[in-house]
């Protein structure tokens, strides 16, 4: 039996028409459809056939707007080249920024944890009370949804 290598993309979804603080309620199927559409426009039927078999949106966090996408090694180059051309995700006008590409979910999890820790430290400068800091820490550093897919 042949082992298929995977690549995981950690992405940031940036919505144009909604405020930065408002959560984006996106289903992973919306992200999958948007990426597949961009691959179709850029690479045609060949690109869709190469990427569709193992392309999965594993995780989308509404509050932090971070997601994880899994795809096969090889066609991941087609997906990486098509992601900047995504203009709409579900009902939102949005675009995708690739934050990290890794070989395992564990590496992606470590990157997300470090990324969120840096964001938390950046936002804590403006907060005055410990309750506000605790609430922000709970929102940003809650990794239960990510741990459930590991």
């Amino acid at each position: 039996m042949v082992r298929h290598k995977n690549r995981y993309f950690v992405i940031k979804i940036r919505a144009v028409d909604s405020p930065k603080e408002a959560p984006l309620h996106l289903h992973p199927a919306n992200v999958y459809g948007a990426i597949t559409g961009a691959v179709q426009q850029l690479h045609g039927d060949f690109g869709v056939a190469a990427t569709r078999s193992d392309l999965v949106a594993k995780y989308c966090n509404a509050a932090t707007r971070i997601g994880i996408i899994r795809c096969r090694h090889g066609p991941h180059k087609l997906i990486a080249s098509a992601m900047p051309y995504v203009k709409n995700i579900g009902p939102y006008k949005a675009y995708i920024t690739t934050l990290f590409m890794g070989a395992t979910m564990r590496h992606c999890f470590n990157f997300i944890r470090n990324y969120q820790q840096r964001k938390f430290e950046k936002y804590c400068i403006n907060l005055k009370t410990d309750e506000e800091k605790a609430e922000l820490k709970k929102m940003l550093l809650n990794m239960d949804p990510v741990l459930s897919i590991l």
Side-chain angles (χ1 to χ4, degrees), residues 1-148:
M1 206 155 135
V2 178
R3 179 178 162 259
H4 294 285
K5 292 182 180 179
N6 291 320
R7 289 295 175 257
Y8 298 89
F9 290 97
V10 177
I11 60 170
K12 177 88 173 174
I13 300 169
R14 299 179 190 264
V16 176
D17 55 353
S18 70
K20 288 184 177 181
E21 298 83 23
L24 285 180
H25 298 289
L26 289 174
H27 194 270
N30 294 341
V31 177
Y32 172 83
I35 292 172
T36 303
V39 169
Q40 173 69 37
Q41 287 180 341
L42 198 60
H43 300 291
D45 291 336
F46 169 76
V48 172
T51 59
R52 184 174 277 179
S53 63
D54 287 332
L55 176 64
V56 177
K58 298 288 282 180
Y59 169 70
C60 289
N61 189 336
T64 60
R65 300 180 179 192
I66 290 180
I68 298 176
I69 298 169
R70 182 189 77 198
C71 60
R72 277 192 30 217
H73 184 271
H76 77 283
K77 294 176 185 176
L78 300 175
I79 292 171
S81 67
M83 275 198 280
Y85 294 100
V86 171
K87 302 295 182 213
N88 295 318
I89 302 174
Y92 301 102
K93 288 191 178 294
Y95 61 95
I96 295 175
T97 304
T98 303
L99 297 177
F100 178 75
M101 184 182 69
T104 64
M105 287 287 290
R106 178 112 9 232
H107 288 138
C108 291
F109 169 69
N110 289 338
F111 174 80
I112 290 172
R113 186 180 58 219
N114 293 337
Y115 180 80
Q116 296 296 72
Q117 184 66 39
R118 287 191 305 267
K119 289 286 187 183
F120 173 71
E121 291 167 359
K122 179 180 165 184
Y123 292 143
C124 273
I125 295 171
N126 299 332
L127 300 178
K128 306 226 183 305
T129 65
D130 290 334
E131 292 83 18
E132 291 175 339
K133 289 180 183 179
E135 184 178 329
L136 181 66
K137 187 172 188 175
K138 181 181 176 186
M139 183 188 75
L140 285 179
L141 299 178
N142 183 13
M143 293 294 161
D144 292 337
V146 176
L147 288 174
S148 67

